[in-house]
Structures are given as C-alpha cells and as structure tokens.
PDB file of all heavy atoms in Angstrom:
ATOM      1  N   TYR A  13    -102.034  78.373  75.656  1.00 98.00           N
ATOM      2  CA  TYR A  13    -101.686  76.955  75.565  1.00 98.00           C
ATOM      3  C   TYR A  13    -101.834  76.430  74.139  1.00 98.00           C
ATOM      4  O   TYR A  13    -101.148  75.487  73.755  1.00 98.00           O
ATOM      5  CB  TYR A  13    -102.532  76.130  76.551  1.00 98.00           C
ATOM      6  CG  TYR A  13    -101.941  76.164  77.936  1.00 98.00           C
ATOM      7  CD1 TYR A  13    -102.291  77.170  78.834  1.00 98.00           C
ATOM      8  CD2 TYR A  13    -101.010  75.218  78.341  1.00 98.00           C
ATOM      9  CE1 TYR A  13    -101.729  77.222  80.097  1.00 98.00           C
ATOM     10  CE2 TYR A  13    -100.445  75.259  79.600  1.00 98.00           C
ATOM     11  CZ  TYR A  13    -100.805  76.273  80.474  1.00 98.00           C
ATOM     12  OH  TYR A  13    -100.231  76.316  81.728  1.00 98.00           O
ATOM     13  N   VAL A  14    -102.702  77.023  73.370  1.00 98.00           N
ATOM     14  CA  VAL A  14    -102.801  76.643  71.950  1.00 98.00           C
ATOM     15  C   VAL A  14    -101.554  77.107  71.209  1.00 98.00           C
ATOM     16  O   VAL A  14    -100.962  76.342  70.439  1.00 98.00           O
ATOM     17  CB  VAL A  14    -104.053  77.265  71.300  1.00 98.00           C
ATOM     18  CG1 VAL A  14    -104.078  76.940  69.804  1.00 98.00           C
ATOM     19  CG2 VAL A  14    -105.324  76.754  71.966  1.00 98.00           C
ATOM     20  N   GLN A  15    -101.133  78.334  71.482  1.00 98.00           N
ATOM     21  CA  GLN A  15    -100.040  78.938  70.735  1.00 98.00           C
ATOM     22  C   GLN A  15     -98.663  78.626  71.341  1.00 98.00           C
ATOM     23  O   GLN A  15     -97.980  77.709  70.916  1.00 98.00           O
ATOM     24  CB  GLN A  15    -100.267  80.455  70.636  1.00 98.00           C
ATOM     25  CG  GLN A  15     -99.091  81.269  70.090  1.00 98.00           C
ATOM     26  CD  GLN A  15     -98.686  80.900  68.671  1.00 98.00           C
ATOM     27  OE1 GLN A  15     -99.383  80.171  67.976  1.00 98.00           O
ATOM     28  NE2 GLN A  15     -97.532  81.396  68.243  1.00 98.00           N
ATOM     29  N   TRP A  16     -98.259  79.370  72.369  1.00 98.00           N
ATOM     30  CA  TRP A  16     -96.871  79.302  72.811  1.00 98.00           C
ATOM     31  C   TRP A  16     -96.519  78.016  73.544  1.00 98.00           C
ATOM     32  O   TRP A  16     -95.379  77.530  73.443  1.00 98.00           O
ATOM     33  CB  TRP A  16     -96.539  80.522  73.680  1.00 98.00           C
ATOM     34  CG  TRP A  16     -96.669  81.798  72.916  1.00 98.00           C
ATOM     35  CD1 TRP A  16     -97.561  82.805  73.138  1.00 98.00           C
ATOM     36  CD2 TRP A  16     -95.919  82.180  71.758  1.00 98.00           C
ATOM     37  NE1 TRP A  16     -97.404  83.799  72.199  1.00 98.00           N
ATOM     38  CE2 TRP A  16     -96.396  83.445  71.344  1.00 98.00           C
ATOM     39  CE3 TRP A  16     -94.889  81.592  71.025  1.00 98.00           C
ATOM     40  CZ2 TRP A  16     -95.887  84.122  70.243  1.00 98.00           C
ATOM     41  CZ3 TRP A  16     -94.372  82.264  69.933  1.00 98.00           C
ATOM     42  CH2 TRP A  16     -94.866  83.506  69.543  1.00 98.00           C
ATOM     43  N   HIS A  17     -97.444  77.440  74.292  1.00 98.00           N
ATOM     44  CA  HIS A  17     -97.188  76.155  74.946  1.00 98.00           C
ATOM     45  C   HIS A  17     -97.606  74.987  74.055  1.00 98.00           C
ATOM     46  O   HIS A  17     -97.436  73.836  74.460  1.00 98.00           O
ATOM     47  CB  HIS A  17     -97.953  76.061  76.275  1.00 98.00           C
ATOM     48  CG  HIS A  17     -97.496  77.039  77.303  1.00 98.00           C
ATOM     49  ND1 HIS A  17     -96.184  77.119  77.739  1.00 98.00           N
ATOM     50  CD2 HIS A  17     -98.163  77.998  77.995  1.00 98.00           C
ATOM     51  CE1 HIS A  17     -96.070  78.066  78.648  1.00 98.00           C
ATOM     52  NE2 HIS A  17     -97.260  78.621  78.815  1.00 98.00           N
ATOM     53  N   GLY A  18     -98.173  75.282  72.887  1.00 98.00           N
ATOM     54  CA  GLY A  18     -98.718  74.237  72.039  1.00 98.00           C
ATOM     55  C   GLY A  18     -98.142  74.201  70.638  1.00 98.00           C
ATOM     56  O   GLY A  18     -97.056  73.647  70.417  1.00 98.00           O
ATOM     57  N   MET A  19     -98.859  74.800  69.679  1.00 98.00           N
ATOM     58  CA  MET A  19     -98.493  74.637  68.272  1.00 98.00           C
ATOM     59  C   MET A  19     -97.112  75.214  67.939  1.00 98.00           C
ATOM     60  O   MET A  19     -96.407  74.684  67.078  1.00 98.00           O
ATOM     61  CB  MET A  19     -99.563  75.270  67.388  1.00 98.00           C
ATOM     62  CG  MET A  19    -100.906  74.550  67.447  1.00 98.00           C
ATOM     63  SD  MET A  19    -100.835  72.787  67.009  1.00 98.00           S
ATOM     64  CE  MET A  19    -100.529  72.892  65.249  1.00 98.00           C
ATOM     65  N   TYR A  20     -96.724  76.282  68.612  1.00 98.00           N
ATOM     66  CA  TYR A  20     -95.381  76.830  68.401  1.00 98.00           C
ATOM     67  C   TYR A  20     -94.327  75.776  68.723  1.00 98.00           C
ATOM     68  O   TYR A  20     -93.382  75.549  67.945  1.00 98.00           O
ATOM     69  CB  TYR A  20     -95.185  78.069  69.276  1.00 98.00           C
ATOM     70  CG  TYR A  20     -93.750  78.498  69.422  1.00 98.00           C
ATOM     71  CD1 TYR A  20     -93.108  79.224  68.418  1.00 98.00           C
ATOM     72  CD2 TYR A  20     -93.014  78.166  70.561  1.00 98.00           C
ATOM     73  CE1 TYR A  20     -91.780  79.617  68.544  1.00 98.00           C
ATOM     74  CE2 TYR A  20     -91.691  78.553  70.701  1.00 98.00           C
ATOM     75  CZ  TYR A  20     -91.079  79.276  69.699  1.00 98.00           C
ATOM     76  OH  TYR A  20     -89.763  79.654  69.828  1.00 98.00           O
ATOM     77  N   GLU A  21     -94.482  75.103  69.869  1.00 98.00           N
ATOM     78  CA  GLU A  21     -93.509  74.096  70.269  1.00 98.00           C
ATOM     79  C   GLU A  21     -93.625  72.828  69.428  1.00 98.00           C
ATOM     80  O   GLU A  21     -92.628  72.153  69.184  1.00 98.00           O
ATOM     81  CB  GLU A  21     -93.659  73.798  71.760  1.00 98.00           C
ATOM     82  CG  GLU A  21     -93.284  75.004  72.615  1.00 98.00           C
ATOM     83  CD  GLU A  21     -93.163  74.681  74.093  1.00 98.00           C
ATOM     84  OE1 GLU A  21     -93.772  73.674  74.533  1.00 98.00           O
ATOM     85  OE2 GLU A  21     -92.461  75.424  74.790  1.00 98.00           O
ATOM     86  N   VAL A  22     -94.836  72.511  68.995  1.00 98.00           N
ATOM     87  CA  VAL A  22     -95.017  71.379  68.073  1.00 98.00           C
ATOM     88  C   VAL A  22     -94.226  71.626  66.788  1.00 98.00           C
ATOM     89  O   VAL A  22     -93.488  70.755  66.302  1.00 98.00           O
ATOM     90  CB  VAL A  22     -96.510  71.166  67.746  1.00 98.00           C
ATOM     91  CG1 VAL A  22     -96.671  70.204  66.571  1.00 98.00           C
ATOM     92  CG2 VAL A  22     -97.258  70.623  68.953  1.00 98.00           C
ATOM     93  N   ALA A  23     -94.371  72.822  66.216  1.00 98.00           N
ATOM     94  CA  ALA A  23     -93.693  73.167  64.960  1.00 98.00           C
ATOM     95  C   ALA A  23     -92.182  73.156  65.131  1.00 98.00           C
ATOM     96  O   ALA A  23     -91.443  72.604  64.299  1.00 98.00           O
ATOM     97  CB  ALA A  23     -94.171  74.535  64.466  1.00 98.00           C
ATOM     98  N   GLU A  24     -91.717  73.783  66.220  1.00 98.00           N
ATOM     99  CA  GLU A  24     -90.270  73.808  66.465  1.00 98.00           C
ATOM    100  C   GLU A  24     -89.722  72.392  66.604  1.00 98.00           C
ATOM    101  O   GLU A  24     -88.681  72.051  66.064  1.00 98.00           O
ATOM    102  CB  GLU A  24     -89.990  74.626  67.730  1.00 98.00           C
ATOM    103  CG  GLU A  24     -88.511  74.882  67.999  1.00 98.00           C
ATOM    104  CD  GLU A  24     -87.826  73.768  68.767  1.00 98.00           C
ATOM    105  OE1 GLU A  24     -88.527  72.968  69.436  1.00 98.00           O
ATOM    106  OE2 GLU A  24     -86.582  73.681  68.710  1.00 98.00           O
ATOM    107  N   ARG A  25     -90.444  71.564  67.327  1.00 98.00           N
ATOM    108  CA  ARG A  25     -90.014  70.188  67.562  1.00 98.00           C
ATOM    109  C   ARG A  25     -89.981  69.404  66.241  1.00 98.00           C
ATOM    110  O   ARG A  25     -89.075  68.602  65.993  1.00 98.00           O
ATOM    111  CB  ARG A  25     -90.964  69.513  68.555  1.00 98.00           C
ATOM    112  CG  ARG A  25     -90.474  68.197  69.106  1.00 98.00           C
ATOM    113  CD  ARG A  25     -89.432  68.352  70.174  1.00 98.00           C
ATOM    114  NE  ARG A  25     -89.927  68.995  71.369  1.00 98.00           N
ATOM    115  CZ  ARG A  25     -89.188  69.218  72.454  1.00 98.00           C
ATOM    116  NH1 ARG A  25     -87.925  68.835  72.479  1.00 98.00           N
ATOM    117  NH2 ARG A  25     -89.705  69.825  73.513  1.00 98.00           N
ATOM    118  N   PHE A  26     -90.961  69.640  65.379  1.00 98.00           N
ATOM    119  CA  PHE A  26     -91.058  68.903  64.117  1.00 98.00           C
ATOM    120  C   PHE A  26     -89.951  69.311  63.142  1.00 98.00           C
ATOM    121  O   PHE A  26     -89.200  68.458  62.645  1.00 98.00           O
ATOM    122  CB  PHE A  26     -92.432  69.141  63.479  1.00 98.00           C
ATOM    123  CG  PHE A  26     -92.664  68.378  62.212  1.00 98.00           C
ATOM    124  CD1 PHE A  26     -93.140  67.076  62.245  1.00 98.00           C
ATOM    125  CD2 PHE A  26     -92.414  68.947  60.968  1.00 98.00           C
ATOM    126  CE1 PHE A  26     -93.362  66.353  61.069  1.00 98.00           C
ATOM    127  CE2 PHE A  26     -92.635  68.251  59.786  1.00 98.00           C
ATOM    128  CZ  PHE A  26     -93.105  66.940  59.838  1.00 98.00           C
ATOM    129  N   TYR A  27     -89.863  70.605  62.863  1.00 98.00           N
ATOM    130  CA  TYR A  27     -88.942  71.068  61.819  1.00 98.00           C
ATOM    131  C   TYR A  27     -87.482  71.103  62.260  1.00 98.00           C
ATOM    132  O   TYR A  27     -86.586  70.739  61.486  1.00 98.00           O
ATOM    133  CB  TYR A  27     -89.341  72.480  61.363  1.00 98.00           C
ATOM    134  CG  TYR A  27     -90.652  72.541  60.624  1.00 98.00           C
ATOM    135  CD1 TYR A  27     -91.724  73.259  61.130  1.00 98.00           C
ATOM    136  CD2 TYR A  27     -90.826  71.886  59.400  1.00 98.00           C
ATOM    137  CE1 TYR A  27     -92.934  73.337  60.460  1.00 98.00           C
ATOM    138  CE2 TYR A  27     -92.033  71.954  58.714  1.00 98.00           C
ATOM    139  CZ  TYR A  27     -93.085  72.678  59.253  1.00 98.00           C
ATOM    140  OH  TYR A  27     -94.282  72.733  58.570  1.00 98.00           O
ATOM    141  N   ILE A  28     -87.229  71.518  63.488  1.00 98.00           N
ATOM    142  CA  ILE A  28     -85.854  71.772  63.923  1.00 98.00           C
ATOM    143  C   ILE A  28     -85.232  70.587  64.641  1.00 98.00           C
ATOM    144  O   ILE A  28     -84.001  70.499  64.753  1.00 98.00           O
ATOM    145  CB  ILE A  28     -85.817  73.032  64.836  1.00 98.00           C
ATOM    146  CG1 ILE A  28     -86.508  74.206  64.147  1.00 98.00           C
ATOM    147  CG2 ILE A  28     -84.402  73.419  65.201  1.00 98.00           C
ATOM    148  CD1 ILE A  28     -85.938  74.531  62.751  1.00 98.00           C
ATOM    149  N   GLU A  29     -86.054  69.633  65.098  1.00 98.00           N
ATOM    150  CA  GLU A  29     -85.501  68.464  65.776  1.00 98.00           C
ATOM    151  C   GLU A  29     -85.860  67.148  65.090  1.00 98.00           C
ATOM    152  O   GLU A  29     -84.985  66.355  64.757  1.00 98.00           O
ATOM    153  CB  GLU A  29     -85.973  68.446  67.236  1.00 98.00           C
ATOM    154  CG  GLU A  29     -85.464  69.635  68.046  1.00 98.00           C
ATOM    155  CD  GLU A  29     -85.803  69.525  69.513  1.00 98.00           C
ATOM    156  OE1 GLU A  29     -85.704  68.418  70.075  1.00 98.00           O
ATOM    157  OE2 GLU A  29     -86.180  70.550  70.111  1.00 98.00           O
ATOM    158  N   LEU A  30     -87.152  66.900  64.882  1.00 98.00           N
ATOM    159  CA  LEU A  30     -87.563  65.595  64.357  1.00 98.00           C
ATOM    160  C   LEU A  30     -87.020  65.342  62.952  1.00 98.00           C
ATOM    161  O   LEU A  30     -86.451  64.277  62.678  1.00 98.00           O
ATOM    162  CB  LEU A  30     -89.094  65.486  64.354  1.00 98.00           C
ATOM    163  CG  LEU A  30     -89.644  64.095  64.002  1.00 98.00           C
ATOM    164  CD1 LEU A  30     -89.387  63.119  65.155  1.00 98.00           C
ATOM    165  CD2 LEU A  30     -91.138  64.139  63.710  1.00 98.00           C
ATOM    166  N   VAL A  31     -87.166  66.307  62.044  1.00 98.00           N
ATOM    167  CA  VAL A  31     -86.713  66.108  60.664  1.00 98.00           C
ATOM    168  C   VAL A  31     -85.196  65.933  60.587  1.00 98.00           C
ATOM    169  O   VAL A  31     -84.717  64.967  59.954  1.00 98.00           O
ATOM    170  CB  VAL A  31     -87.205  67.263  59.757  1.00 98.00           C
ATOM    171  CG1 VAL A  31     -86.523  67.195  58.389  1.00 98.00           C
ATOM    172  CG2 VAL A  31     -88.724  67.194  59.593  1.00 98.00           C
ATOM    173  N   PRO A  32     -84.396  66.814  61.206  1.00 98.00           N
ATOM    174  CA  PRO A  32     -82.944  66.594  61.158  1.00 98.00           C
ATOM    175  C   PRO A  32     -82.511  65.275  61.805  1.00 98.00           C
ATOM    176  O   PRO A  32     -81.618  64.585  61.280  1.00 98.00           O
ATOM    177  CB  PRO A  32     -82.385  67.795  61.940  1.00 98.00           C
ATOM    178  CG  PRO A  32     -83.424  68.843  61.826  1.00 98.00           C
ATOM    179  CD  PRO A  32     -84.723  68.110  61.839  1.00 98.00           C
ATOM    180  N   GLN A  33     -83.123  64.911  62.929  1.00 98.00           N
ATOM    181  CA  GLN A  33     -82.770  63.652  63.583  1.00 98.00           C
ATOM    182  C   GLN A  33     -83.174  62.457  62.722  1.00 98.00           C
ATOM    183  O   GLN A  33     -82.465  61.437  62.678  1.00 98.00           O
ATOM    184  CB  GLN A  33     -83.431  63.568  64.959  1.00 98.00           C
ATOM    185  CG  GLN A  33     -82.841  64.527  65.973  1.00 98.00           C
ATOM    186  CD  GLN A  33     -83.674  64.654  67.239  1.00 98.00           C
ATOM    187  OE1 GLN A  33     -84.568  63.832  67.501  1.00 98.00           O
ATOM    188  NE2 GLN A  33     -83.414  65.683  68.026  1.00 98.00           N
ATOM    189  N   PHE A  34     -84.297  62.579  62.031  1.00 98.00           N
ATOM    190  CA  PHE A  34     -84.735  61.537  61.106  1.00 98.00           C
ATOM    191  C   PHE A  34     -83.678  61.313  60.029  1.00 98.00           C
ATOM    192  O   PHE A  34     -83.301  60.170  59.737  1.00 98.00           O
ATOM    193  CB  PHE A  34     -86.064  61.952  60.476  1.00 98.00           C
ATOM    194  CG  PHE A  34     -86.593  60.998  59.438  1.00 98.00           C
ATOM    195  CD1 PHE A  34     -87.350  59.894  59.799  1.00 98.00           C
ATOM    196  CD2 PHE A  34     -86.329  61.206  58.085  1.00 98.00           C
ATOM    197  CE1 PHE A  34     -87.838  59.015  58.838  1.00 98.00           C
ATOM    198  CE2 PHE A  34     -86.819  60.339  57.125  1.00 98.00           C
ATOM    199  CZ  PHE A  34     -87.577  59.231  57.500  1.00 98.00           C
ATOM    200  N   LEU A  35     -83.188  62.389  59.454  1.00 98.00           N
ATOM    201  CA  LEU A  35     -82.169  62.287  58.398  1.00 98.00           C
ATOM    202  C   LEU A  35     -80.869  61.706  58.928  1.00 98.00           C
ATOM    203  O   LEU A  35     -80.187  60.944  58.222  1.00 98.00           O
ATOM    204  CB  LEU A  35     -81.936  63.658  57.773  1.00 98.00           C
ATOM    205  CG  LEU A  35     -83.092  64.194  56.911  1.00 98.00           C
ATOM    206  CD1 LEU A  35     -82.852  65.640  56.523  1.00 98.00           C
ATOM    207  CD2 LEU A  35     -83.290  63.321  55.674  1.00 98.00           C
ATOM    208  N   GLU A  36     -80.518  62.023  60.171  1.00 98.00           N
ATOM    209  CA  GLU A  36     -79.309  61.452  60.771  1.00 98.00           C
ATOM    210  C   GLU A  36     -79.445  59.938  60.926  1.00 98.00           C
ATOM    211  O   GLU A  36     -78.501  59.184  60.634  1.00 98.00           O
ATOM    212  CB  GLU A  36     -79.060  62.090  62.141  1.00 98.00           C
ATOM    213  CG  GLU A  36     -78.566  63.528  62.088  1.00 98.00           C
ATOM    214  CD  GLU A  36     -78.392  64.110  63.480  1.00 98.00           C
ATOM    215  OE1 GLU A  36     -78.434  63.335  64.458  1.00 98.00           O
ATOM    216  OE2 GLU A  36     -78.205  65.333  63.577  1.00 98.00           O
ATOM    217  N   VAL A  37     -80.603  59.491  61.393  1.00 98.00           N
ATOM    218  CA  VAL A  37     -80.833  58.060  61.565  1.00 98.00           C
ATOM    219  C   VAL A  37     -80.772  57.350  60.214  1.00 98.00           C
ATOM    220  O   VAL A  37     -80.173  56.273  60.083  1.00 98.00           O
ATOM    221  CB  VAL A  37     -82.190  57.808  62.257  1.00 98.00           C
ATOM    222  CG1 VAL A  37     -82.524  56.313  62.261  1.00 98.00           C
ATOM    223  CG2 VAL A  37     -82.183  58.339  63.680  1.00 98.00           C
ATOM    224  N   VAL A  38     -81.388  57.960  59.211  1.00 98.00           N
ATOM    225  CA  VAL A  38     -81.400  57.366  57.866  1.00 98.00           C
ATOM    226  C   VAL A  38     -79.986  57.296  57.288  1.00 98.00           C
ATOM    227  O   VAL A  38     -79.582  56.280  56.699  1.00 98.00           O
ATOM    228  CB  VAL A  38     -82.332  58.171  56.941  1.00 98.00           C
ATOM    229  CG1 VAL A  38     -82.194  57.700  55.489  1.00 98.00           C
ATOM    230  CG2 VAL A  38     -83.785  58.045  57.404  1.00 98.00           C
ATOM    231  N   GLU A  39     -79.247  58.369  57.470  1.00 98.00           N
ATOM    232  CA  GLU A  39     -77.867  58.397  56.950  1.00 98.00           C
ATOM    233  C   GLU A  39     -77.002  57.330  57.620  1.00 98.00           C
ATOM    234  O   GLU A  39     -76.190  56.652  56.968  1.00 98.00           O
ATOM    235  CB  GLU A  39     -77.269  59.781  57.191  1.00 98.00           C
ATOM    236  CG  GLU A  39     -75.876  59.952  56.590  1.00 98.00           C
ATOM    237  CD  GLU A  39     -75.328  61.350  56.779  1.00 98.00           C
ATOM    238  OE1 GLU A  39     -76.113  62.264  57.097  1.00 98.00           O
ATOM    239  OE2 GLU A  39     -74.107  61.525  56.601  1.00 98.00           O
ATOM    240  N   LYS A  40     -77.186  57.161  58.922  1.00 98.00           N
ATOM    241  CA  LYS A  40     -76.437  56.136  59.652  1.00 98.00           C
ATOM    242  C   LYS A  40     -76.794  54.746  59.147  1.00 98.00           C
ATOM    243  O   LYS A  40     -75.905  53.887  58.951  1.00 98.00           O
ATOM    244  CB  LYS A  40     -76.739  56.254  61.146  1.00 98.00           C
ATOM    245  CG  LYS A  40     -75.993  55.248  62.002  1.00 98.00           C
ATOM    246  CD  LYS A  40     -76.339  55.438  63.479  1.00 98.00           C
ATOM    247  CE  LYS A  40     -75.640  54.378  64.343  1.00 98.00           C
ATOM    248  NZ  LYS A  40     -76.001  54.554  65.787  1.00 98.00           N
ATOM    249  N   ALA A  41     -78.109  54.508  58.925  1.00 98.00           N
ATOM    250  CA  ALA A  41     -78.545  53.202  58.417  1.00 98.00           C
ATOM    251  C   ALA A  41     -77.975  52.945  57.029  1.00 98.00           C
ATOM    252  O   ALA A  41     -77.548  51.824  56.711  1.00 98.00           O
ATOM    253  CB  ALA A  41     -80.068  53.150  58.386  1.00 98.00           C
ATOM    254  N   GLU A  42     -77.960  53.979  56.192  1.00 98.00           N
ATOM    255  CA  GLU A  42     -77.410  53.844  54.833  1.00 98.00           C
ATOM    256  C   GLU A  42     -75.923  53.529  54.890  1.00 98.00           C
ATOM    257  O   GLU A  42     -75.415  52.680  54.124  1.00 98.00           O
ATOM    258  CB  GLU A  42     -77.657  55.135  54.061  1.00 98.00           C
ATOM    259  CG  GLU A  42     -77.268  55.060  52.589  1.00 98.00           C
ATOM    260  CD  GLU A  42     -77.614  56.345  51.865  1.00 98.00           C
ATOM    261  OE1 GLU A  42     -77.357  57.443  52.437  1.00 98.00           O
ATOM    262  OE2 GLU A  42     -78.155  56.258  50.746  1.00 98.00           O
TER     263      GLU A  42
END
C-alpha cells in the first residue's frame, strides 16, 4: 500500500496528469 497502491500512483497522478492538466488550464486562461 505504500508502494504500488500509494506513492507509485501519487507520482503517476502528479507528473502524468496533474502537471499536463495544469498547463492546459493555464494555456486556456492565457
């Protein structure tokens, strides 16, 4: 639960989803 159900999914969610979606929102606002 620390690794595969936890930090692995946290990292994937942060780098591969949150950051790109953040940039999309910013680009739309700009």
